[in-house]
Amino acid sequence: MAACALIPIPKGKNNSGTDSVNFRGIALSSMFGKVFDLIFLNKFSDGLFKSTLQFGFKPKHSTSMCSMVLKETLAYYTVDGGSAFCTLLDATKAFDRVNYCKLFSKLMSRSIPPAYLRLLLNMYTNSIARVSWNGVFSQSFKDENGVRQGGIASPVLFCVYLDGLLQWLHNSGAGCYIGYVFVGALAYADDVALLAPTANAMRKMLRIYESYGSEYSVTFNASKSAWLFITRRARSSNSTVQFYYRVTLC
């Protein structure tokens, strides 16, 4: 079995240290696991992503590139008094909610040799962990879902997990375009920005999120999510527009 130690890291200085929600568990993997992750990414990272809308943990991509596309899209739509809607979504415990069956189903469509997939599957489905706190270890327990925060390959695997959502949004026809290029959804790992020219188009994209989230156990944090109406008009006519996202607890 693959084993790792989880080190609880506080999410913020002002959060209560008595609530487990305010801690993020960073995984310390074995040397074998780290070496395997490096080999896996070195051989297959270029073929793992199908959507061009994901900017996180991809070769020759960065947060700066994602921000630039976002700013240029909004500038394109607001020139000469135009307008656009932007919704910024934050996923709750995104890495912890990854379903192994659905993740490996996606990996199987990436033309990865079966030997690598079997080894990776065995490492995840037979993984055990224990919490380390001030030099004291908890009892071991089995990981049944999620990719390890702090793992070398974990962010890339999560991006693969979210790849279907970006493709679905692209194929929906809703959202912003620059020419014939769809730029209605921009993602950096689990942080996603939706861009739409109208309120109805934004609602359609949020319904797609809702459907995908229900199927793949992706829940978005309403307190950390927000929407913006961007325009160069002197007076906004969309101050009463509302958007809703129904959260399904898993």
Side-chain angles (χ1 to χ4, degrees):
M1 285 189 174
C4 71
L6 299 176
I7 309 297
I9 304 296
K11 292 183 178 180
K13 295 182 179 179
N14 298 325
N15 292 330
S16 172
T18 61
D19 191 345
S20 62
V21 175
N22 296 325
F23 289 85
R24 177 179 289 108
I26 301 299
L28 302 180
S29 303
S30 66
M31 185 59 67
F32 171 80
K34 294 178 181 179
V35 171
F36 178 81
D37 281 355
L38 289 171
I39 294 173
F40 181 81
L41 294 179
N42 182 61
K43 292 180 69 69
F44 307 114
S45 61
D46 291 339
L48 291 176
F49 300 95
K50 292 186 176 181
S51 175
T52 58
L53 302 171
Q54 177 62 257
F55 291 80
F57 305 95
K58 293 174 67 174
K60 300 180 181 180
H61 288 70
S62 65
T63 53
S64 298
M65 184 182 297
C66 185
S67 299
M68 183 271 291
V69 175
L70 174 64
K71 292 178 181 179
E72 290 299 320
T73 301
L74 295 178
Y76 178 83
Y77 271 83
T78 57
V79 69
D80 296 330
S83 60
F85 291 88
C86 176
T87 301
L88 306 173
L89 295 172
D90 178 83
T92 301
K93 298 185 180 297
F95 283 29
D96 299 333
R97 294 176 178 271
V98 172
N99 181 292
Y100 290 155
C101 291
K102 296 184 182 297
L103 171 62
F104 282 94
S105 176
K106 291 180 176 296
L107 288 172
M108 288 172 64
S109 66
R110 264 59 175 186
S111 301
I112 299 172
Y116 286 90
L117 281 180
R118 283 196 295 268
L119 183 53
L120 189 63
L121 177 63
N122 182 72
M123 290 173 62
Y124 271 90
T125 58
N126 293 290
S127 176
I128 59 173
R130 56 179 181 170
V131 178
S132 175
W133 183 263
N134 289 334
V136 179
F137 289 92
S138 71
Q139 293 183 344
S140 299
F141 55 91
K142 186 175 181 180
D143 288 338
E144 297 183 347
N145 55 271
V147 292
R148 300 167 181 167
Q149 296 209 37
I152 296 174
S154 296
V156 176
L157 293 177
F158 179 80
C159 290
V160 172
Y161 192 70
L162 204 65
D163 198 68
L165 171 61
L166 300 176
Q167 294 184 68
W168 191 355
L169 288 167
H170 188 178
N171 296 335
S172 69
C176 290
Y177 283 80
I178 295 182
Y180 294 101
V181 179
F182 177 78
V183 286
L186 307 173
Y188 194 91
D190 57 333
D191 295 319
V192 181
L194 299 182
L195 304 172
T198 66
N200 285 336
M202 180 60 71
R203 293 189 182 99
K204 181 177 181 179
M205 297 175 79
L206 287 173
R207 285 195 293 270
I208 292 174
Y209 260 96
E210 181 183 352
S211 299
Y212 194 90
S214 177
E215 182 178 355
Y216 287 87
S217 303
V218 179
T219 301
F220 289 90
N221 188 339
S223 64
K224 294 184 179 180
S225 300
W227 72 270
L228 305 170
F229 176 68
I230 297 92
T231 183
R232 293 184 180 178
R233 300 170 187 166
R235 183 184 299 272
S236 171
S237 60
N238 288 277
S239 58
T240 60
V241 172
Q242 296 292 326
F243 298 113
Y244 300 93
Y245 178 80
R246 292 198 297 270
V247 175
T248 302
L249 298 179
C250 302

